[in-house]
Amino acid sequence: MAGKPRSLREHVERVITDTLDRCTACGRCYQVCPMPRYSALLQDAPGERVVGEVLQLLRREPGRALGLEFVKICTQSASCIPACPEGIDPMLMLRVARMVALGALGEAPQMEGREEPQFFQKIDTYAALQLDERELLDWHDRRLP
């Protein structure tokens, strides 16, 4: 087992390596995610393909539309974490893929970041709701008009 990472970059690289080693691109994280229904691009996309495109980003291959869109719309709901049969943290996988896509690890940017000055305030508000499991399922099942 490798020792403690000496830097944040080394930690991120270990996350990438571990994800690429263990992820089977089954698409379960995508299937349980509440966000694809709000993206015209992702609504009917097969989960295996979308996750495969996210893995391409982690391999430092050019991003494709579905993978970039999934990375872009992730709101870190964490619905994906218990869904992964491989024990990977898909939310972390998407966060790291976003870092790659934004060019934060030294590659050319493949997408623009979103400017949302109240992003963390909104997350804190949502977290403060303390919804139980039934309420979360009901909230995630609602569709925008």
Side-chain angles (χ1 to χ4, degrees):
M1 182 173 148
K4 183 177 176 182
R6 292 182 303 267
S7 66
L8 177 59
R9 179 165 191 112
E10 184 178 334
H11 174 71
V12 169
E13 293 297 339
R14 286 183 186 184
V15 168
I16 291 171
T17 299
D18 180 61
T19 301
L20 291 173
D21 286 347
R22 295 192 299 136
C23 182
T24 62
C26 69
R28 290 196 186 151
C29 55
Y30 175 79
Q31 293 165 357
V32 301
C33 180
M35 297 311 295
R37 70 183 70 159
Y38 302 113
S39 165
L41 186 61
L42 293 176
Q43 280 183 352
D44 297 318
E48 297 87 353
R49 181 172 170 201
V50 174
V51 175
E53 290 187 15
V54 171
L55 295 177
Q56 288 176 320
L57 281 168
L58 295 179
R59 286 187 202 99
R60 308 317 210 278
E61 297 171 9
R64 294 193 175 157
L66 296 176
L68 288 169
E69 180 72 359
F70 192 35
V71 166
K72 194 180 297 183
I73 66 164
C74 177
T75 59
Q76 301 170 8
S77 72
S79 301
C80 54
I81 295 172
C84 180
E86 308 307 327
I88 296 167
D89 181 340
M91 187 173 73
L92 181 58
M93 172 185 75
L94 289 169
R95 183 176 290 176
V96 171
R98 181 176 175 80
M99 292 171 70
V100 172
L102 289 170
L105 299 180
E107 291 83 10
Q110 300 185 53
M111 67 181 227
E112 291 183 25
R114 61 178 172 239
E115 292 294 324
E116 176 56 68
Q118 295 180 333
F119 180 73
F120 292 106
Q121 185 178 24
K122 289 177 182 180
I123 289 174
D124 289 342
T125 301
Y126 178 71
L129 292 174
Q130 296 294 309
L131 302 176
D132 63 34
E133 194 168 327
R134 184 195 54 75
E135 292 169 320
L136 282 170
L137 287 172
D138 181 52
W139 184 83
H140 285 298
D141 284 341
R142 294 177 192 227
R143 296 181 186 264
L144 293 175

